[in-house]
């Protein structure tokens, strides 16, 4: 299985001069799903048939965090890419991907404070191109920073979604109830843009991950 987030994580570990320790780092974890080993969900993961691609631009150490859900998207969507965000020196492979004529790059981001002419509500596929959904993966504050300080994204259309239900994402507490986790946003994007199978698979994968993660937290608190 090609999971670009895990590949990015392995690359960052190899290049790091010091060990990054996420919260709960003493817990024995599966190296793939990053859940506690007894709660591993890897056996139930199946990639979906999907005609879209995804690109995760991840804030600094986001790929290390056990609570990160960006890697769940890469578990399900076969055509996936992940890059560590850098304000002054963006990855050349990322820039090449965004300029690749094979793809139709689209940023997924709320429409507030975005120029109206850039905002779209639904994707119209360009002939011969694969939609490439770009997710800015980090906290809400980090995502806004990445959006504002990435000039190479400035000319791209912005897909804004308005999910009807409030978030069930309880791994982190968002400042506003309507804010969703990265995987939840991807579920909505895929479902609303012709990728029903991928949306359904990712939704179930997210639920399995969320429930196992929270079970692990409760077990830790009770010990």
């Amino acid at each position: 299985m090609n999971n670009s987030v895990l590949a990015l994580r392995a690359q960052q570990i190899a290049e790091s001069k010091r060990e990054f320790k996420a919260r709960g780092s003493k817990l024995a974890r599966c190296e793939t799903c990053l859940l506690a080993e007894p709660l591993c969900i890897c056996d139930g993961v199946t990639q979906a048939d999907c005609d879209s691609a995804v690109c995760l631009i991840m804030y600094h150490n986001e790929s290390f965090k056990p609570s990160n859900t960006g890697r769940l998207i890469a578990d399900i969507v076969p055509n996936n890419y992940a890059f560590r965000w850098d304000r002054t020196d963006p990855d050349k492979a990322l820039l090449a991907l965004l300029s690749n004529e094979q793809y139709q790059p689209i940023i997924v981001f709320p429409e507030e404070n975005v120029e109206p002419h850039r905002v779209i509500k639904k994707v119209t596929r360009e002939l011969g191109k694969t939609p490439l959904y770009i997710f800015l993966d980090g906290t809400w504050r980090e995502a806004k920073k990445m959006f504002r300080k990435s000039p190479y994204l400035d000319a791209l259309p912005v897909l804004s979604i308005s999910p009807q239900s409030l978030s069930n994402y309880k791994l982190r507490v968002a400042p506003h109830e309507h804010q969703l986790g990265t995987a939840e946003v991807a579920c909505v994007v895929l479902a609303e843009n012709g990728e029903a199978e991928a949306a359904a698979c990712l939704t179930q994968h997210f639920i399995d991950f969320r429930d196992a993660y929270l079970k692990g937290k409760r077990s830790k608190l009770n010990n």
Side-chain angles (χ1 to χ4, degrees):
M1 184 181 295
N2 168 41
N3 187 312
S4 56
V5 177
L6 292 178
L8 175 64
R9 180 173 180 268
Q11 177 188 337
Q12 287 186 263
I13 290 173
E15 295 175 351
S16 178
K17 294 180 181 178
R18 64 182 180 85
E19 184 180 2
F20 175 81
K21 293 192 175 183
R23 188 176 300 173
S25 60
K26 294 182 179 179
L27 186 67
R29 297 183 183 275
C30 168
E31 286 300 311
T32 301
C33 66
L34 301 187
L35 291 166
E37 288 180 349
L39 301 172
C40 172
I41 60 171
C42 292
D43 286 346
V45 179
T46 303
Q47 286 191 323
D49 183 13
C50 187
D51 293 325
S52 300
V54 296
C55 174
L56 292 139
I57 302 178
M58 311 189 78
Y59 197 82
H60 299 178
N61 292 317
E62 187 65 29
S63 66
F64 290 98
K65 296 177 181 177
S67 61
N68 172 265
T69 64
R71 69 178 175 278
L72 303 182
I73 308 171
D75 280 339
I76 300 300
V77 179
N79 196 354
N80 63 83
Y81 302 87
F83 302 93
R84 182 182 184 273
W85 181 72
D86 191 299
R87 184 178 65 84
T88 59
D89 187 23
D91 194 314
K92 291 180 176 60
L94 169 60
L95 300 181
L97 176 66
L98 298 180
S99 62
N100 188 330
E101 290 296 321
Q102 176 185 344
Y103 292 112
Q104 177 185 350
I106 301 154
I107 306 170
V108 179
F109 199 75
E111 63 184 297
E112 291 81 3
N113 301 316
V114 178
E115 299 91 332
H117 72 274
R118 295 180 64 192
V119 177
I120 60 175
K121 298 295 185 180
K122 196 171 182 66
V123 174
T124 301
R125 291 185 177 231
E126 296 180 12
L127 185 63
K129 293 190 176 185
T130 300
L132 175 68
Y133 297 110
I134 302 166
F135 298 92
L136 305 179
D137 199 11
T139 65
W140 175 232
R141 179 178 295 180
E142 291 165 352
K144 288 194 292 184
K145 180 179 179 179
M146 288 189 282
F147 185 82
R148 292 195 314 268
K149 296 183 179 294
S150 303
Y152 50 88
L153 300 178
D154 288 349
L156 300 180
V158 176
L159 176 63
S160 178
I161 61 170
S162 301
Q164 299 301 309
S165 58
L166 295 177
S167 174
N168 287 321
Y169 184 51
K170 298 175 182 176
L171 307 188
R172 301 181 193 163
V173 179
H176 304 289
E177 285 187 317
H178 66 276
Q179 290 176 9
L180 305 179
T182 306
E184 288 179 292
V185 173
C187 289
V188 178
V189 167
L190 294 169
E192 293 185 352
N193 291 280
E195 301 288 3
E197 179 185 335
C201 289
L202 181 55
T203 298
Q204 186 58 56
H205 189 30
F206 169 78
I207 291 171
D208 292 343
F209 174 80
R210 181 200 63 195
D211 291 351
Y213 184 93
L214 293 175
K215 183 177 181 180
K217 286 190 72 174
R218 287 194 294 268
S219 175
K220 183 180 178 183
L221 290 172
N222 291 332
N223 288 338

PDB file of all heavy atoms in Angstrom, residues 180-212:
ATOM      1  N   LEU A 180     -13.919  20.724  10.997  1.00  0.00           N
ATOM      2  CA  LEU A 180     -13.795  19.285  10.880  1.00  0.00           C
ATOM      3  C   LEU A 180     -12.332  18.873  10.851  1.00  0.00           C
ATOM      4  O   LEU A 180     -11.450  19.654  10.527  1.00  0.00           O
ATOM      5  CB  LEU A 180     -14.470  18.810   9.592  1.00  0.00           C
ATOM      6  CG  LEU A 180     -15.934  19.192   9.391  1.00  0.00           C
ATOM      7  CD1 LEU A 180     -16.432  18.674   8.061  1.00  0.00           C
ATOM      8  CD2 LEU A 180     -16.794  18.662  10.525  1.00  0.00           C
ATOM      9  N   GLY A 181     -12.075  17.583  11.171  1.00  0.00           N
ATOM     10  CA  GLY A 181     -10.749  17.042  11.020  1.00  0.00           C
ATOM     11  C   GLY A 181     -10.446  16.827   9.535  1.00  0.00           C
ATOM     12  O   GLY A 181     -11.343  16.782   8.694  1.00  0.00           O
ATOM     13  N   THR A 182      -9.165  16.669   9.193  1.00  0.00           N
ATOM     14  CA  THR A 182      -8.755  16.559   7.794  1.00  0.00           C
ATOM     15  C   THR A 182      -9.452  15.412   7.079  1.00  0.00           C
ATOM     16  O   THR A 182      -9.931  15.557   5.950  1.00  0.00           O
ATOM     17  CB  THR A 182      -7.231  16.385   7.700  1.00  0.00           C
ATOM     18  OG1 THR A 182      -6.588  17.450   8.418  1.00  0.00           O
ATOM     19  CG2 THR A 182      -6.763  16.428   6.259  1.00  0.00           C
ATOM     20  N   ALA A 183      -9.530  14.249   7.707  1.00  0.00           N
ATOM     21  CA  ALA A 183     -10.178  13.104   7.065  1.00  0.00           C
ATOM     22  C   ALA A 183     -11.664  13.356   6.864  1.00  0.00           C
ATOM     23  O   ALA A 183     -12.241  12.960   5.840  1.00  0.00           O
ATOM     24  CB  ALA A 183      -9.957  11.841   7.891  1.00  0.00           C
ATOM     25  N   GLU A 184     -12.312  14.009   7.823  1.00  0.00           N
ATOM     26  CA  GLU A 184     -13.737  14.325   7.674  1.00  0.00           C
ATOM     27  C   GLU A 184     -13.980  15.264   6.498  1.00  0.00           C
ATOM     28  O   GLU A 184     -14.930  15.100   5.729  1.00  0.00           O
ATOM     29  CB  GLU A 184     -14.268  14.960   8.955  1.00  0.00           C
ATOM     30  CG  GLU A 184     -14.417  13.995  10.107  1.00  0.00           C
ATOM     31  CD  GLU A 184     -14.913  14.716  11.344  1.00  0.00           C
ATOM     32  OE1 GLU A 184     -14.156  15.535  11.884  1.00  0.00           O
ATOM     33  OE2 GLU A 184     -16.062  14.473  11.742  1.00  0.00           O
ATOM     34  N   VAL A 185     -13.115  16.262   6.370  1.00  0.00           N
ATOM     35  CA  VAL A 185     -13.222  17.185   5.236  1.00  0.00           C
ATOM     36  C   VAL A 185     -13.086  16.406   3.933  1.00  0.00           C
ATOM     37  O   VAL A 185     -13.844  16.615   2.977  1.00  0.00           O
ATOM     38  CB  VAL A 185     -12.150  18.286   5.327  1.00  0.00           C
ATOM     39  CG1 VAL A 185     -12.143  19.133   4.062  1.00  0.00           C
ATOM     40  CG2 VAL A 185     -12.386  19.166   6.544  1.00  0.00           C
ATOM     41  N   ALA A 186     -12.123  15.494   3.884  1.00  0.00           N
ATOM     42  CA  ALA A 186     -11.919  14.690   2.679  1.00  0.00           C
ATOM     43  C   ALA A 186     -13.142  13.830   2.371  1.00  0.00           C
ATOM     44  O   ALA A 186     -13.499  13.652   1.192  1.00  0.00           O
ATOM     45  CB  ALA A 186     -10.683  13.813   2.841  1.00  0.00           C
ATOM     46  N   CYS A 187     -13.791  13.303   3.395  1.00  0.00           N
ATOM     47  CA  CYS A 187     -15.016  12.520   3.183  1.00  0.00           C
ATOM     48  C   CYS A 187     -16.065  13.353   2.456  1.00  0.00           C
ATOM     49  O   CYS A 187     -16.703  12.884   1.504  1.00  0.00           O
ATOM     50  CB  CYS A 187     -15.582  12.038   4.516  1.00  0.00           C
ATOM     51  SG  CYS A 187     -14.615  10.754   5.339  1.00  0.00           S
ATOM     52  N   VAL A 188     -16.252  14.582   2.910  1.00  0.00           N
ATOM     53  CA  VAL A 188     -17.241  15.463   2.309  1.00  0.00           C
ATOM     54  C   VAL A 188     -16.843  15.811   0.873  1.00  0.00           C
ATOM     55  O   VAL A 188     -17.666  15.764  -0.053  1.00  0.00           O
ATOM     56  CB  VAL A 188     -17.412  16.750   3.144  1.00  0.00           C
ATOM     57  CG1 VAL A 188     -18.403  17.697   2.481  1.00  0.00           C
ATOM     58  CG2 VAL A 188     -17.873  16.410   4.560  1.00  0.00           C
ATOM     59  N   VAL A 189     -15.583  16.153   0.668  1.00  0.00           N
ATOM     60  CA  VAL A 189     -15.098  16.514  -0.673  1.00  0.00           C
ATOM     61  C   VAL A 189     -15.312  15.363  -1.647  1.00  0.00           C
ATOM     62  O   VAL A 189     -15.823  15.553  -2.766  1.00  0.00           O
ATOM     63  CB  VAL A 189     -13.603  16.898  -0.615  1.00  0.00           C
ATOM     64  CG1 VAL A 189     -13.005  16.970  -2.022  1.00  0.00           C
ATOM     65  CG2 VAL A 189     -13.424  18.223   0.097  1.00  0.00           C
ATOM     66  N   LEU A 190     -14.929  14.160  -1.251  1.00  0.00           N
ATOM     67  CA  LEU A 190     -15.068  13.004  -2.131  1.00  0.00           C
ATOM     68  C   LEU A 190     -16.530  12.701  -2.422  1.00  0.00           C
ATOM     69  O   LEU A 190     -16.914  12.435  -3.564  1.00  0.00           O
ATOM     70  CB  LEU A 190     -14.376  11.793  -1.503  1.00  0.00           C
ATOM     71  CG  LEU A 190     -12.850  11.885  -1.379  1.00  0.00           C
ATOM     72  CD1 LEU A 190     -12.315  10.755  -0.497  1.00  0.00           C
ATOM     73  CD2 LEU A 190     -12.177  11.843  -2.747  1.00  0.00           C
ATOM     74  N   ALA A 191     -17.366  12.746  -1.383  1.00  0.00           N
ATOM     75  CA  ALA A 191     -18.790  12.432  -1.552  1.00  0.00           C
ATOM     76  C   ALA A 191     -19.488  13.427  -2.468  1.00  0.00           C
ATOM     77  O   ALA A 191     -20.357  13.049  -3.272  1.00  0.00           O
ATOM     78  CB  ALA A 191     -19.476  12.393  -0.192  1.00  0.00           C
ATOM     79  N   GLU A 192     -19.115  14.713  -2.367  1.00  0.00           N
ATOM     80  CA  GLU A 192     -19.793  15.750  -3.140  1.00  0.00           C
ATOM     81  C   GLU A 192     -19.232  15.912  -4.548  1.00  0.00           C
ATOM     82  O   GLU A 192     -19.762  16.693  -5.338  1.00  0.00           O
ATOM     83  CB  GLU A 192     -19.726  17.083  -2.394  1.00  0.00           C
ATOM     84  CG  GLU A 192     -20.532  17.087  -1.111  1.00  0.00           C
ATOM     85  CD  GLU A 192     -20.574  18.445  -0.433  1.00  0.00           C
ATOM     86  OE1 GLU A 192     -19.846  19.363  -0.885  1.00  0.00           O
ATOM     87  OE2 GLU A 192     -21.341  18.581   0.537  1.00  0.00           O
ATOM     88  N   ASN A 193     -18.166  15.162  -4.864  1.00  0.00           N
ATOM     89  CA  ASN A 193     -17.531  15.324  -6.169  1.00  0.00           C
ATOM     90  C   ASN A 193     -17.301  13.998  -6.882  1.00  0.00           C
ATOM     91  O   ASN A 193     -16.270  13.771  -7.509  1.00  0.00           O
ATOM     92  CB  ASN A 193     -16.223  16.106  -6.014  1.00  0.00           C
ATOM     93  CG  ASN A 193     -16.460  17.556  -5.637  1.00  0.00           C
ATOM     94  OD1 ASN A 193     -16.766  18.394  -6.478  1.00  0.00           O
ATOM     95  ND2 ASN A 193     -16.331  17.855  -4.335  1.00  0.00           N
ATOM     96  N   GLY A 194     -18.289  13.122  -6.757  1.00  0.00           N
ATOM     97  CA  GLY A 194     -18.334  11.932  -7.589  1.00  0.00           C
ATOM     98  C   GLY A 194     -17.512  10.745  -7.151  1.00  0.00           C
ATOM     99  O   GLY A 194     -17.321   9.807  -7.934  1.00  0.00           O
ATOM    100  N   GLU A 195     -17.020  10.740  -5.921  1.00  0.00           N
ATOM    101  CA  GLU A 195     -16.194   9.625  -5.438  1.00  0.00           C
ATOM    102  C   GLU A 195     -16.886   8.947  -4.268  1.00  0.00           C
ATOM    103  O   GLU A 195     -16.394   8.905  -3.147  1.00  0.00           O
ATOM    104  CB  GLU A 195     -14.798  10.125  -5.033  1.00  0.00           C
ATOM    105  CG  GLU A 195     -14.003  10.802  -6.133  1.00  0.00           C
ATOM    106  CD  GLU A 195     -13.496   9.823  -7.201  1.00  0.00           C
ATOM    107  OE1 GLU A 195     -13.808   8.617  -7.103  1.00  0.00           O
ATOM    108  OE2 GLU A 195     -12.797  10.276  -8.115  1.00  0.00           O
ATOM    109  N   ALA A 196     -18.059   8.363  -4.536  1.00  0.00           N
ATOM    110  CA  ALA A 196     -18.885   7.787  -3.469  1.00  0.00           C
ATOM    111  C   ALA A 196     -18.194   6.624  -2.770  1.00  0.00           C
ATOM    112  O   ALA A 196     -18.251   6.497  -1.539  1.00  0.00           O
ATOM    113  CB  ALA A 196     -20.229   7.337  -4.039  1.00  0.00           C
ATOM    114  N   GLU A 197     -17.544   5.740  -3.537  1.00  0.00           N
ATOM    115  CA  GLU A 197     -16.886   4.580  -2.921  1.00  0.00           C
ATOM    116  C   GLU A 197     -15.765   5.019  -1.991  1.00  0.00           C
ATOM    117  O   GLU A 197     -15.660   4.538  -0.858  1.00  0.00           O
ATOM    118  CB  GLU A 197     -16.323   3.649  -3.996  1.00  0.00           C
ATOM    119  CG  GLU A 197     -15.608   2.435  -3.398  1.00  0.00           C
ATOM    120  CD  GLU A 197     -14.949   1.561  -4.446  1.00  0.00           C
ATOM    121  OE1 GLU A 197     -15.395   1.571  -5.605  1.00  0.00           O
ATOM    122  OE2 GLU A 197     -13.982   0.842  -4.108  1.00  0.00           O
ATOM    123  N   ALA A 198     -14.927   5.940  -2.464  1.00  0.00           N
ATOM    124  CA  ALA A 198     -13.824   6.417  -1.633  1.00  0.00           C
ATOM    125  C   ALA A 198     -14.337   7.130  -0.392  1.00  0.00           C
ATOM    126  O   ALA A 198     -13.786   6.975   0.703  1.00  0.00           O
ATOM    127  CB  ALA A 198     -12.916   7.343  -2.443  1.00  0.00           C
ATOM    128  N   ALA A 199     -15.414   7.907  -0.550  1.00  0.00           N
ATOM    129  CA  ALA A 199     -15.992   8.619   0.594  1.00  0.00           C
ATOM    130  C   ALA A 199     -16.513   7.639   1.640  1.00  0.00           C
ATOM    131  O   ALA A 199     -16.298   7.823   2.848  1.00  0.00           O
ATOM    132  CB  ALA A 199     -17.113   9.537   0.125  1.00  0.00           C
ATOM    133  N   ALA A 200     -17.195   6.586   1.192  1.00  0.00           N
ATOM    134  CA  ALA A 200     -17.742   5.596   2.125  1.00  0.00           C
ATOM    135  C   ALA A 200     -16.627   4.836   2.838  1.00  0.00           C
ATOM    136  O   ALA A 200     -16.689   4.614   4.058  1.00  0.00           O
ATOM    137  CB  ALA A 200     -18.654   4.626   1.373  1.00  0.00           C
ATOM    138  N   CYS A 201     -15.598   4.445   2.080  1.00  0.00           N
ATOM    139  CA  CYS A 201     -14.468   3.708   2.690  1.00  0.00           C
ATOM    140  C   CYS A 201     -13.727   4.579   3.698  1.00  0.00           C
ATOM    141  O   CYS A 201     -13.360   4.114   4.782  1.00  0.00           O
ATOM    142  CB  CYS A 201     -13.513   3.238   1.606  1.00  0.00           C
ATOM    143  SG  CYS A 201     -14.138   1.910   0.556  1.00  0.00           S
ATOM    144  N   LEU A 202     -13.518   5.841   3.344  1.00  0.00           N
ATOM    145  CA  LEU A 202     -12.795   6.741   4.245  1.00  0.00           C
ATOM    146  C   LEU A 202     -13.619   7.044   5.491  1.00  0.00           C
ATOM    147  O   LEU A 202     -13.072   7.119   6.598  1.00  0.00           O
ATOM    148  CB  LEU A 202     -12.433   8.033   3.520  1.00  0.00           C
ATOM    149  CG  LEU A 202     -11.644   9.067   4.331  1.00  0.00           C
ATOM    150  CD1 LEU A 202     -10.367   8.463   4.910  1.00  0.00           C
ATOM    151  CD2 LEU A 202     -11.317  10.281   3.473  1.00  0.00           C
ATOM    152  N   THR A 203     -14.922   7.195   5.321  1.00  0.00           N
ATOM    153  CA  THR A 203     -15.789   7.445   6.482  1.00  0.00           C
ATOM    154  C   THR A 203     -15.690   6.303   7.485  1.00  0.00           C
ATOM    155  O   THR A 203     -15.524   6.524   8.694  1.00  0.00           O
ATOM    156  CB  THR A 203     -17.244   7.634   6.043  1.00  0.00           C
ATOM    157  OG1 THR A 203     -17.340   8.786   5.191  1.00  0.00           O
ATOM    158  CG2 THR A 203     -18.166   7.825   7.245  1.00  0.00           C
ATOM    159  N   GLN A 204     -15.779   5.066   6.994  1.00  0.00           N
ATOM    160  CA  GLN A 204     -15.705   3.916   7.894  1.00  0.00           C
ATOM    161  C   GLN A 204     -14.321   3.808   8.520  1.00  0.00           C
ATOM    162  O   GLN A 204     -14.184   3.503   9.714  1.00  0.00           O
ATOM    163  CB  GLN A 204     -16.040   2.630   7.139  1.00  0.00           C
ATOM    164  CG  GLN A 204     -16.137   1.408   8.045  1.00  0.00           C
ATOM    165  CD  GLN A 204     -17.177   1.588   9.143  1.00  0.00           C
ATOM    166  OE1 GLN A 204     -18.351   1.872   8.860  1.00  0.00           O
ATOM    167  NE2 GLN A 204     -16.775   1.440  10.400  1.00  0.00           N
ATOM    168  N   HIS A 205     -13.296   4.080   7.725  1.00  0.00           N
ATOM    169  CA  HIS A 205     -11.918   4.018   8.236  1.00  0.00           C
ATOM    170  C   HIS A 205     -11.714   5.065   9.333  1.00  0.00           C
ATOM    171  O   HIS A 205     -11.093   4.788  10.368  1.00  0.00           O
ATOM    172  CB  HIS A 205     -10.948   4.250   7.078  1.00  0.00           C
ATOM    173  CG  HIS A 205      -9.511   4.016   7.401  1.00  0.00           C
ATOM    174  ND1 HIS A 205      -9.073   3.097   8.343  1.00  0.00           N
ATOM    175  CD2 HIS A 205      -8.367   4.592   6.891  1.00  0.00           C
ATOM    176  CE1 HIS A 205      -7.757   3.110   8.404  1.00  0.00           C
ATOM    177  NE2 HIS A 205      -7.303   4.013   7.544  1.00  0.00           N
ATOM    178  N   PHE A 206     -12.251   6.253   9.116  1.00  0.00           N
ATOM    179  CA  PHE A 206     -12.148   7.305  10.120  1.00  0.00           C
ATOM    180  C   PHE A 206     -12.855   6.902  11.414  1.00  0.00           C
ATOM    181  O   PHE A 206     -12.330   7.093  12.514  1.00  0.00           O
ATOM    182  CB  PHE A 206     -12.726   8.614   9.593  1.00  0.00           C
ATOM    183  CG  PHE A 206     -12.894   9.661  10.653  1.00  0.00           C
ATOM    184  CD1 PHE A 206     -11.811  10.384  11.117  1.00  0.00           C
ATOM    185  CD2 PHE A 206     -14.137   9.886  11.241  1.00  0.00           C
ATOM    186  CE1 PHE A 206     -11.956  11.320  12.126  1.00  0.00           C
ATOM    187  CE2 PHE A 206     -14.290  10.830  12.240  1.00  0.00           C
ATOM    188  CZ  PHE A 206     -13.196  11.550  12.682  1.00  0.00           C
ATOM    189  N   ILE A 207     -14.050   6.339  11.286  1.00  0.00           N
ATOM    190  CA  ILE A 207     -14.812   5.930  12.471  1.00  0.00           C
ATOM    191  C   ILE A 207     -14.043   4.858  13.250  1.00  0.00           C
ATOM    192  O   ILE A 207     -13.934   4.917  14.482  1.00  0.00           O
ATOM    193  CB  ILE A 207     -16.206   5.414  12.068  1.00  0.00           C
ATOM    194  CG1 ILE A 207     -17.062   6.578  11.552  1.00  0.00           C
ATOM    195  CG2 ILE A 207     -16.899   4.721  13.240  1.00  0.00           C
ATOM    196  CD1 ILE A 207     -18.368   6.153  10.919  1.00  0.00           C
ATOM    197  N   ASP A 208     -13.506   3.875  12.518  1.00  0.00           N
ATOM    198  CA  ASP A 208     -12.734   2.812  13.175  1.00  0.00           C
ATOM    199  C   ASP A 208     -11.522   3.394  13.897  1.00  0.00           C
ATOM    200  O   ASP A 208     -11.215   3.010  15.037  1.00  0.00           O
ATOM    201  CB  ASP A 208     -12.267   1.782  12.144  1.00  0.00           C
ATOM    202  CG  ASP A 208     -13.413   0.983  11.550  1.00  0.00           C
ATOM    203  OD1 ASP A 208     -14.506   0.981  12.141  1.00  0.00           O
ATOM    204  OD2 ASP A 208     -13.213   0.373  10.478  1.00  0.00           O
ATOM    205  N   PHE A 209     -10.828   4.317  13.236  1.00  0.00           N
ATOM    206  CA  PHE A 209      -9.654   4.938  13.836  1.00  0.00           C
ATOM    207  C   PHE A 209     -10.033   5.763  15.055  1.00  0.00           C
ATOM    208  O   PHE A 209      -9.412   5.648  16.118  1.00  0.00           O
ATOM    209  CB  PHE A 209      -8.953   5.824  12.802  1.00  0.00           C
ATOM    210  CG  PHE A 209      -7.814   6.630  13.371  1.00  0.00           C
ATOM    211  CD1 PHE A 209      -6.569   6.059  13.576  1.00  0.00           C
ATOM    212  CD2 PHE A 209      -7.995   7.958  13.729  1.00  0.00           C
ATOM    213  CE1 PHE A 209      -5.521   6.797  14.123  1.00  0.00           C
ATOM    214  CE2 PHE A 209      -6.958   8.700  14.270  1.00  0.00           C
ATOM    215  CZ  PHE A 209      -5.722   8.117  14.470  1.00  0.00           C
ATOM    216  N   ARG A 210     -11.042   6.610  14.894  1.00  0.00           N
ATOM    217  CA  ARG A 210     -11.448   7.472  15.999  1.00  0.00           C
ATOM    218  C   ARG A 210     -11.848   6.657  17.225  1.00  0.00           C
ATOM    219  O   ARG A 210     -11.426   6.952  18.349  1.00  0.00           O
ATOM    220  CB  ARG A 210     -12.627   8.341  15.556  1.00  0.00           C
ATOM    221  CG  ARG A 210     -13.126   9.316  16.623  1.00  0.00           C
ATOM    222  CD  ARG A 210     -14.548   9.773  16.324  1.00  0.00           C
ATOM    223  NE  ARG A 210     -15.469   8.646  16.355  1.00  0.00           N
ATOM    224  CZ  ARG A 210     -16.707   8.694  15.863  1.00  0.00           C
ATOM    225  NH1 ARG A 210     -17.140   9.788  15.266  1.00  0.00           N
ATOM    226  NH2 ARG A 210     -17.497   7.641  15.949  1.00  0.00           N
ATOM    227  N   ASP A 211     -12.648   5.615  17.009  1.00  0.00           N
ATOM    228  CA  ASP A 211     -13.120   4.808  18.140  1.00  0.00           C
ATOM    229  C   ASP A 211     -11.968   4.087  18.831  1.00  0.00           C
ATOM    230  O   ASP A 211     -11.918   4.018  20.068  1.00  0.00           O
ATOM    231  CB  ASP A 211     -14.171   3.803  17.662  1.00  0.00           C
ATOM    232  CG  ASP A 211     -15.471   4.470  17.238  1.00  0.00           C
ATOM    233  OD1 ASP A 211     -15.615   5.698  17.476  1.00  0.00           O
ATOM    234  OD2 ASP A 211     -16.334   3.787  16.663  1.00  0.00           O
ATOM    235  N   ALA A 212     -11.035   3.550  18.040  1.00  0.00           N
ATOM    236  CA  ALA A 212      -9.885   2.846  18.631  1.00  0.00           C
ATOM    237  C   ALA A 212      -8.980   3.829  19.368  1.00  0.00           C
ATOM    238  O   ALA A 212      -8.474   3.526  20.458  1.00  0.00           O
ATOM    239  CB  ALA A 212      -9.108   2.107  17.539  1.00  0.00           C
TER     240      ALA A 212
END
